[in-house]
Amino acid sequence: MAQSSFKPNYDESKVPAYTLPDVLKMPDGQRVASAKQWTSVQRPAILQLFKEHVYGQMPGNPRVVRSVVRSVDKQALGGKAIRKQLTLFFGNGDDAPGMEVLLYLPKTAKPAPVFAGLNFFGNHCVSNDPGILLSTRWLPNRNEEVVNNKATEKARGMQASRWQVEELIARGYGTATVYYGDLEPDHATGWQTGIRTTLKNDLHTAPEDWSAIGAWAWGLSRLMDYLETDPAVDAKRVMLHGHSRLGKAALWAGANDPRFAMVISNDSGEGGAAIARRMFGETIERINTSFPYWFVGKFKSYNQNENAMPTDQHMLLALVAPRPLYVASAKDDQWADPKGEFLGARAAEPVWALFGKQGLGITDMPPVDQPVGQTIGYHIRTGGHDITAYDWQQYIRFADRHSGKQ
Ligand code: GTR
């Protein structure tokens, strides 16, 4: 399919009839009847389906071999925060593959709960703080901020509104981030210089057996490895978040790694929270055409063949249970199919019920700017494809609520 010939469907009446795979139907045909059965039988079975058909393998070891502190500032952000920067190496020697971590911690909470997520443009993009080391990695070109695939000084704070660092600190939360390109540059041949190639012998996984989303998600677990070792971090309260393609990666990381206490999907859309069988906005065929390397090879066999897939995205969301999950959409982001994201969350609810928890607690999609939900939070806000201060207000409130602060 040529990308130009693709015409997204935005007409609800043209959504095809479909039946979702039953999230509680086990491989032997029986239905899950208890939380224990979910955890011991169905959860691993569904995880395996996503590995095989969608995102590829998720290698375990090596974990972080060594961390090197690059800088610590105990008076960052006007004296309100501690800023740490580290390199986490996945092997021995200074030329071993690794990733750069930026961590801000509030001075008020010890140890501090932390929001963790990947960023799109290098750690320097999340704040104007001049103390942040400028990423030296390959970056996608953008205006004066990234020239010849290298960050310029103008790149500082270029996505600060998406991170709300000062607000998080003021509310008692830390924030930890890594540039996703440290794991795999986001282009068709990025895998050749990313960890799928550089770590293939250590990970015992061939590059084609997993995917770029898999590599990004793997990096989030390595960030968690570090956070668990930092006594200033409350490792039991690390909330994973991601926007768009990085929302897909956050969901996949949260599905694999139960150490994350909460998972937040911001406008993750196709291959994230949205039901693929709806074929509304972006479709499997379209995403496989634009970004074939994001998913494992087998995913291509579901181009215009959604009903043959043993999974749909409600099953991915269900893998977060019984932990709190937040799914957020934006009204003008029809490409990501807001309704499909809501329905994904709704169809995942029976798994929370197994644990005696209420998921969304409503059946109809709420109006714009009216957040809903219990252990699954949801909102659709005014505006387009982005993470805004409004989104963060909801995530902070949700995190407060689930940590007994409210
Ligand atoms: C789009 C892609 C979406 C989403 C988005 C983003 O081009 O079609 O699936 O991932 O990029 O990451 O902003």
PDB file of all heavy atoms in Angstrom, residues 88-109:
ATOM      1  N   LEU A  88      23.834   4.573  32.066  1.00  0.00           N
ATOM      2  CA  LEU A  88      23.680   3.163  32.437  1.00  0.00           C
ATOM      3  C   LEU A  88      24.279   2.337  31.302  1.00  0.00           C
ATOM      4  O   LEU A  88      23.843   2.455  30.150  1.00  0.00           O
ATOM      5  CB  LEU A  88      22.211   2.803  32.628  1.00  0.00           C
ATOM      6  CG  LEU A  88      21.402   3.666  33.604  1.00  0.00           C
ATOM      7  CD1 LEU A  88      20.009   3.080  33.797  1.00  0.00           C
ATOM      8  CD2 LEU A  88      22.104   3.797  34.948  1.00  0.00           C
ATOM      9  N   PHE A  89      25.269   1.541  31.632  1.00  0.00           N
ATOM     10  CA  PHE A  89      25.932   0.714  30.613  1.00  0.00           C
ATOM     11  C   PHE A  89      25.372  -0.705  30.648  1.00  0.00           C
ATOM     12  O   PHE A  89      25.148  -1.259  31.731  1.00  0.00           O
ATOM     13  CB  PHE A  89      27.438   0.663  30.866  1.00  0.00           C
ATOM     14  CG  PHE A  89      28.146   1.949  30.527  1.00  0.00           C
ATOM     15  CD1 PHE A  89      28.508   2.851  31.528  1.00  0.00           C
ATOM     16  CD2 PHE A  89      28.455   2.262  29.212  1.00  0.00           C
ATOM     17  CE1 PHE A  89      29.159   4.035  31.227  1.00  0.00           C
ATOM     18  CE2 PHE A  89      29.109   3.451  28.893  1.00  0.00           C
ATOM     19  CZ  PHE A  89      29.463   4.334  29.910  1.00  0.00           C
ATOM     20  N   PHE A  90      25.202  -1.285  29.465  1.00  0.00           N
ATOM     21  CA  PHE A  90      24.707  -2.667  29.376  1.00  0.00           C
ATOM     22  C   PHE A  90      25.847  -3.662  29.182  1.00  0.00           C
ATOM     23  O   PHE A  90      25.629  -4.796  28.776  1.00  0.00           O
ATOM     24  CB  PHE A  90      23.707  -2.799  28.226  1.00  0.00           C
ATOM     25  CG  PHE A  90      22.609  -1.780  28.265  1.00  0.00           C
ATOM     26  CD1 PHE A  90      22.303  -1.019  27.144  1.00  0.00           C
ATOM     27  CD2 PHE A  90      21.877  -1.560  29.428  1.00  0.00           C
ATOM     28  CE1 PHE A  90      21.287  -0.074  27.176  1.00  0.00           C
ATOM     29  CE2 PHE A  90      20.869  -0.618  29.472  1.00  0.00           C
ATOM     30  CZ  PHE A  90      20.572   0.134  28.342  1.00  0.00           C
ATOM     31  N   GLY A  91      27.065  -3.224  29.435  1.00  0.00           N
ATOM     32  CA  GLY A  91      28.219  -4.105  29.294  1.00  0.00           C
ATOM     33  C   GLY A  91      29.423  -3.439  29.930  1.00  0.00           C
ATOM     34  O   GLY A  91      29.327  -2.322  30.454  1.00  0.00           O
ATOM     35  N   ASN A  92      30.563  -4.114  29.874  1.00  0.00           N
ATOM     36  CA  ASN A  92      31.786  -3.554  30.452  1.00  0.00           C
ATOM     37  C   ASN A  92      32.465  -2.622  29.459  1.00  0.00           C
ATOM     38  O   ASN A  92      32.310  -2.779  28.262  1.00  0.00           O
ATOM     39  CB  ASN A  92      32.737  -4.683  30.847  1.00  0.00           C
ATOM     40  CG  ASN A  92      32.143  -5.509  31.982  1.00  0.00           C
ATOM     41  OD1 ASN A  92      31.726  -4.961  32.995  1.00  0.00           O
ATOM     42  ND2 ASN A  92      32.073  -6.810  31.788  1.00  0.00           N
ATOM     43  N   GLY A  93      33.218  -1.670  29.974  1.00  0.00           N
ATOM     44  CA  GLY A  93      33.983  -0.790  29.089  1.00  0.00           C
ATOM     45  C   GLY A  93      33.179   0.435  28.700  1.00  0.00           C
ATOM     46  O   GLY A  93      31.953   0.393  28.623  1.00  0.00           O
ATOM     47  N   ASP A  94      33.900   1.532  28.442  1.00  0.00           N
ATOM     48  CA  ASP A  94      33.226   2.797  28.146  1.00  0.00           C
ATOM     49  C   ASP A  94      32.551   2.821  26.789  1.00  0.00           C
ATOM     50  O   ASP A  94      31.730   3.688  26.516  1.00  0.00           O
ATOM     51  CB  ASP A  94      34.239   3.953  28.235  1.00  0.00           C
ATOM     52  CG  ASP A  94      34.474   4.330  29.694  1.00  0.00           C
ATOM     53  OD1 ASP A  94      33.722   3.823  30.561  1.00  0.00           O
ATOM     54  OD2 ASP A  94      35.416   5.106  29.955  1.00  0.00           O
ATOM     55  N   ASP A  95      32.938   1.884  25.915  1.00  0.00           N
ATOM     56  CA  ASP A  95      32.257   1.870  24.614  1.00  0.00           C
ATOM     57  C   ASP A  95      31.105   0.854  24.576  1.00  0.00           C
ATOM     58  O   ASP A  95      30.522   0.599  23.527  1.00  0.00           O
ATOM     59  CB  ASP A  95      33.248   1.651  23.460  1.00  0.00           C
ATOM     60  CG  ASP A  95      34.082   0.408  23.682  1.00  0.00           C
ATOM     61  OD1 ASP A  95      33.914  -0.237  24.750  1.00  0.00           O
ATOM     62  OD2 ASP A  95      34.896   0.076  22.785  1.00  0.00           O
ATOM     63  N   ALA A  96      30.776   0.282  25.738  1.00  0.00           N
ATOM     64  CA  ALA A  96      29.631  -0.644  25.785  1.00  0.00           C
ATOM     65  C   ALA A  96      28.352   0.151  25.506  1.00  0.00           C
ATOM     66  O   ALA A  96      28.266   1.328  25.831  1.00  0.00           O
ATOM     67  CB  ALA A  96      29.545  -1.290  27.163  1.00  0.00           C
ATOM     68  N   PRO A  97      27.347  -0.495  24.905  1.00  0.00           N
ATOM     69  CA  PRO A  97      26.074   0.211  24.691  1.00  0.00           C
ATOM     70  C   PRO A  97      25.490   0.663  26.028  1.00  0.00           C
ATOM     71  O   PRO A  97      25.650  -0.020  27.045  1.00  0.00           O
ATOM     72  CB  PRO A  97      25.174  -0.867  24.055  1.00  0.00           C
ATOM     73  CG  PRO A  97      26.094  -1.924  23.554  1.00  0.00           C
ATOM     74  CD  PRO A  97      27.325  -1.872  24.409  1.00  0.00           C
ATOM     75  N   GLY A  98      24.840   1.794  25.987  1.00  0.00           N
ATOM     76  CA  GLY A  98      24.257   2.306  27.230  1.00  0.00           C
ATOM     77  C   GLY A  98      23.240   3.379  26.938  1.00  0.00           C
ATOM     78  O   GLY A  98      22.927   3.668  25.778  1.00  0.00           O
ATOM     79  N   MET A  99      22.691   3.944  28.003  1.00  0.00           N
ATOM     80  CA  MET A  99      21.717   5.022  27.820  1.00  0.00           C
ATOM     81  C   MET A  99      21.884   6.078  28.917  1.00  0.00           C
ATOM     82  O   MET A  99      22.330   5.780  30.015  1.00  0.00           O
ATOM     83  CB  MET A  99      20.294   4.470  27.798  1.00  0.00           C
ATOM     84  CG  MET A  99      19.850   3.812  29.092  1.00  0.00           C
ATOM     85  SD  MET A  99      18.206   3.042  28.888  1.00  0.00           S
ATOM     86  CE  MET A  99      17.783   2.814  30.615  1.00  0.00           C
ATOM     87  N   GLU A 100      21.523   7.303  28.558  1.00  0.00           N
ATOM     88  CA  GLU A 100      21.679   8.438  29.469  1.00  0.00           C
ATOM     89  C   GLU A 100      20.372   8.648  30.227  1.00  0.00           C
ATOM     90  O   GLU A 100      19.301   8.696  29.619  1.00  0.00           O
ATOM     91  CB  GLU A 100      21.971   9.721  28.679  1.00  0.00           C
ATOM     92  CG  GLU A 100      23.160   9.644  27.743  1.00  0.00           C
ATOM     93  CD  GLU A 100      24.467   9.365  28.466  1.00  0.00           C
ATOM     94  OE1 GLU A 100      24.655   9.900  29.573  1.00  0.00           O
ATOM     95  OE2 GLU A 100      25.290   8.591  27.914  1.00  0.00           O
ATOM     96  N   VAL A 101      20.490   8.795  31.540  1.00  0.00           N
ATOM     97  CA  VAL A 101      19.302   9.001  32.380  1.00  0.00           C
ATOM     98  C   VAL A 101      19.327  10.402  32.976  1.00  0.00           C
ATOM     99  O   VAL A 101      20.374  10.862  33.448  1.00  0.00           O
ATOM    100  CB  VAL A 101      19.272   7.980  33.543  1.00  0.00           C
ATOM    101  CG1 VAL A 101      18.096   8.246  34.481  1.00  0.00           C
ATOM    102  CG2 VAL A 101      19.207   6.561  32.999  1.00  0.00           C
ATOM    103  N   LEU A 102      18.188  11.061  32.939  1.00  0.00           N
ATOM    104  CA  LEU A 102      17.999  12.335  33.641  1.00  0.00           C
ATOM    105  C   LEU A 102      16.941  12.110  34.717  1.00  0.00           C
ATOM    106  O   LEU A 102      15.865  11.582  34.422  1.00  0.00           O
ATOM    107  CB  LEU A 102      17.510  13.408  32.656  1.00  0.00           C
ATOM    108  CG  LEU A 102      17.038  14.731  33.273  1.00  0.00           C
ATOM    109  CD1 LEU A 102      18.182  15.475  33.949  1.00  0.00           C
ATOM    110  CD2 LEU A 102      16.388  15.607  32.203  1.00  0.00           C
ATOM    111  N   LEU A 103      17.281  12.472  35.938  1.00  0.00           N
ATOM    112  CA  LEU A 103      16.366  12.244  37.061  1.00  0.00           C
ATOM    113  C   LEU A 103      16.270  13.521  37.890  1.00  0.00           C
ATOM    114  O   LEU A 103      17.292  14.078  38.302  1.00  0.00           O
ATOM    115  CB  LEU A 103      16.924  11.091  37.914  1.00  0.00           C
ATOM    116  CG  LEU A 103      16.246  10.746  39.236  1.00  0.00           C
ATOM    117  CD1 LEU A 103      14.814  10.269  39.011  1.00  0.00           C
ATOM    118  CD2 LEU A 103      17.045   9.654  39.963  1.00  0.00           C
ATOM    119  N   TYR A 104      15.038  13.983  38.102  1.00  0.00           N
ATOM    120  CA  TYR A 104      14.798  15.086  39.040  1.00  0.00           C
ATOM    121  C   TYR A 104      14.029  14.524  40.222  1.00  0.00           C
ATOM    122  O   TYR A 104      13.068  13.765  40.033  1.00  0.00           O
ATOM    123  CB  TYR A 104      13.917  16.173  38.407  1.00  0.00           C
ATOM    124  CG  TYR A 104      14.616  17.081  37.444  1.00  0.00           C
ATOM    125  CD1 TYR A 104      14.465  16.909  36.073  1.00  0.00           C
ATOM    126  CD2 TYR A 104      15.415  18.129  37.895  1.00  0.00           C
ATOM    127  CE1 TYR A 104      15.101  17.751  35.169  1.00  0.00           C
ATOM    128  CE2 TYR A 104      16.049  18.978  36.998  1.00  0.00           C
ATOM    129  CZ  TYR A 104      15.894  18.785  35.642  1.00  0.00           C
ATOM    130  OH  TYR A 104      16.516  19.624  34.771  1.00  0.00           O
ATOM    131  N   LEU A 105      14.433  14.922  41.414  1.00  0.00           N
ATOM    132  CA  LEU A 105      13.719  14.477  42.614  1.00  0.00           C
ATOM    133  C   LEU A 105      13.338  15.693  43.448  1.00  0.00           C
ATOM    134  O   LEU A 105      14.137  16.637  43.576  1.00  0.00           O
ATOM    135  CB  LEU A 105      14.619  13.555  43.443  1.00  0.00           C
ATOM    136  CG  LEU A 105      14.963  12.213  42.782  1.00  0.00           C
ATOM    137  CD1 LEU A 105      16.086  11.520  43.528  1.00  0.00           C
ATOM    138  CD2 LEU A 105      13.732  11.325  42.706  1.00  0.00           C
ATOM    139  N   PRO A 106      12.126  15.668  44.013  1.00  0.00           N
ATOM    140  CA  PRO A 106      11.734  16.786  44.881  1.00  0.00           C
ATOM    141  C   PRO A 106      12.482  16.661  46.196  1.00  0.00           C
ATOM    142  O   PRO A 106      12.833  15.558  46.613  1.00  0.00           O
ATOM    143  CB  PRO A 106      10.236  16.546  45.079  1.00  0.00           C
ATOM    144  CG  PRO A 106      10.073  15.065  44.940  1.00  0.00           C
ATOM    145  CD  PRO A 106      11.130  14.599  43.973  1.00  0.00           C
ATOM    146  N   LYS A 107      12.698  17.787  46.850  1.00  0.00           N
ATOM    147  CA  LYS A 107      13.391  17.706  48.145  1.00  0.00           C
ATOM    148  C   LYS A 107      12.420  17.340  49.258  1.00  0.00           C
ATOM    149  O   LYS A 107      12.823  16.991  50.350  1.00  0.00           O
ATOM    150  CB  LYS A 107      14.051  19.037  48.455  1.00  0.00           C
ATOM    151  CG  LYS A 107      15.250  19.274  47.562  1.00  0.00           C
ATOM    152  CD  LYS A 107      15.965  20.514  48.006  1.00  0.00           C
ATOM    153  CE  LYS A 107      17.235  20.700  47.232  1.00  0.00           C
ATOM    154  NZ  LYS A 107      17.806  22.022  47.511  1.00  0.00           N
ATOM    155  N   THR A 108      11.124  17.437  48.931  1.00  0.00           N
ATOM    156  CA  THR A 108      10.115  17.254  49.965  1.00  0.00           C
ATOM    157  C   THR A 108       9.867  15.793  50.316  1.00  0.00           C
ATOM    158  O   THR A 108       9.478  15.477  51.424  1.00  0.00           O
ATOM    159  CB  THR A 108       8.788  17.869  49.492  1.00  0.00           C
ATOM    160  OG1 THR A 108       8.583  17.446  48.140  1.00  0.00           O
ATOM    161  CG2 THR A 108       8.831  19.372  49.562  1.00  0.00           C
ATOM    162  N   ALA A 109      10.027  14.899  49.376  1.00  0.00           N
ATOM    163  CA  ALA A 109       9.663  13.496  49.626  1.00  0.00           C
ATOM    164  C   ALA A 109      10.898  12.616  49.585  1.00  0.00           C
ATOM    165  O   ALA A 109      11.648  12.640  48.615  1.00  0.00           O
ATOM    166  CB  ALA A 109       8.666  13.037  48.567  1.00  0.00           C
TER     167      ALA A 109
END
